[in-house]
Amino acid sequence: RAVLDFAAEAAALNLSPFSDAEKRGNPATKTTGELGTIFGFDWNSDDSVPSHTAGTITTGAIVKAATAHAIGVKTIICTTAASTGAVALLEGDIVTFAGDDQTYVLTAAVTQATAATDFSLSIEPGLKIATSGSEAVTVKATHVVNLGFHRDAFGLAMRAPDAGIKALLGQGKAGNVMESVILQDPVTKLIMRLELIRGYKMTMWDVDCLWGTALVSPERASRLAG
């Protein structure tokens, strides 16, 4: 799956590999105005795509001088060389190291208020290119989190709300509460509770559910830049 905000969708619609029939192999984008399925992704747009507000690096940060880090390492010792240096980086920031085209995400926030003191960056994935020391560290600017992901990257858990609520509600005045049942949608498998409640000259159908989500496999999701 891929989810873009409307600005990114508009930009993608202008890309010839997405929109030109002779390059895509069909005229779907030209006729529908939608990206559809291409390059193995189902492309969707959403006006609720969040933005990531990036942390800051003041007056330059570098991998600590004369400090080597091997390929695969996920904790990088850094420092700021200038007397005015400071770092206030956030979990989720995207950073790069000079000489390495790979981008890395910070898995923990880090603050260094005093210049020329060490601080450690916790990154994912592990280093793709070893460092020898003094490589410049940069942080990507604030950006919209357009996302490409495998469906197994995220987990949705649901459980039936307390079935005992039916007995509890039944203790009210006769005729007020008529029924409370647990339902599972046969298509989505979502579990919901339906309450049919009789009020003052009206009948109310009330539906609720109990659920939670989590990023369970982050290696199966990636932010889309551009």
Side-chain angles (χ1 to χ4, degrees), residues 8 12 15 24 30 49 53-54 56 91 93 110 113 117 119 127 134 137 165 182 186 188 202 226:
L15 296 175
R24 176 168 176 163
K30 293 292 189 185
V49 176
T53 301
T56 58
E91 181 180 0
D93 279 347
V110 59
T117 58
F119 60 93
L127 277 179
S134 298
V137 179
I165 192 69
I182 305 301
T188 65
M202 66 179 66

Side-chain angles (χ1 to χ4, degrees), residues 1-207:
R1 307 290 188 272
V3 180
L4 310 175
D5 73 347
F6 290 134
E9 181 195 38
L13 286 169
N14 285 322
L15 296 175
S16 59
F18 282 92
S19 61
D20 290 358
E22 67 275 16
K23 293 183 179 180
R24 176 168 176 163
N26 66 66
T29 298
K30 293 292 189 185
T31 57
T32 66
E34 299 177 350
L35 294 173
T37 300
I38 187 172
F39 302 127
F41 283 84
D42 293 333
W43 296 83
N44 303 276
S45 58
D46 194 313
D47 60 358
S48 298
V49 176
S51 293
H52 174 75
T53 301
T56 58
I57 296 175
T58 304
T59 321
I62 61 172
V63 177
K64 187 175 182 181
T67 302
H69 298 85
I71 292 174
V73 169
K74 296 184 177 181
T75 301
I76 312 301
I77 302 173
C78 302
T79 189
T80 51
S83 60
T84 56
V87 167
L89 295 173
L90 305 173
E91 181 180 0
D93 279 347
I94 301 294
V95 298
T96 59
F97 304 103
D100 185 354
D101 292 335
Q102 175 69 43
T103 57
Y104 302 91
V105 63
L106 295 189
T107 58
V110 59
T111 300
Q112 180 236 39
T114 304
T117 58
D118 296 346
F119 60 93
S120 294
L121 299 180
S122 299
I123 63 171
E124 284 286 350
L127 277 179
K128 300 300 182 182
I129 296 179
T131 66
S132 57
S134 298
E135 292 87 354
V137 179
T138 57
V139 58
K140 297 292 185 180
T142 295
H143 56 276
V144 176
V145 186
N146 297 305
L147 201 66
F149 59 95
H150 187 278
R151 61 182 296 173
D152 291 345
F154 299 95
L156 168 67
M158 299 192 71
R159 59 156 291 175
D162 185 5
I165 192 69
K166 178 179 177 181
L168 179 62
L169 291 175
Q171 295 174 10
K173 293 182 179 180
N176 282 354
V177 177
M178 298 173 65
E179 190 62 80
S180 176
V181 295
I182 305 301
L183 305 173
Q184 183 175 40
D185 180 75
V187 176
T188 65
K189 306 304 180 183
L190 300 180
I191 299 172
M192 296 166 284
R193 177 176 56 192
L194 171 65
E195 293 176 15
L196 181 60
I197 304 172
R198 178 65 180 173
Y200 179 71
K201 295 186 180 300
M202 66 179 66
T203 299
M204 181 173 68
W205 297 75
D206 186 79
V207 177

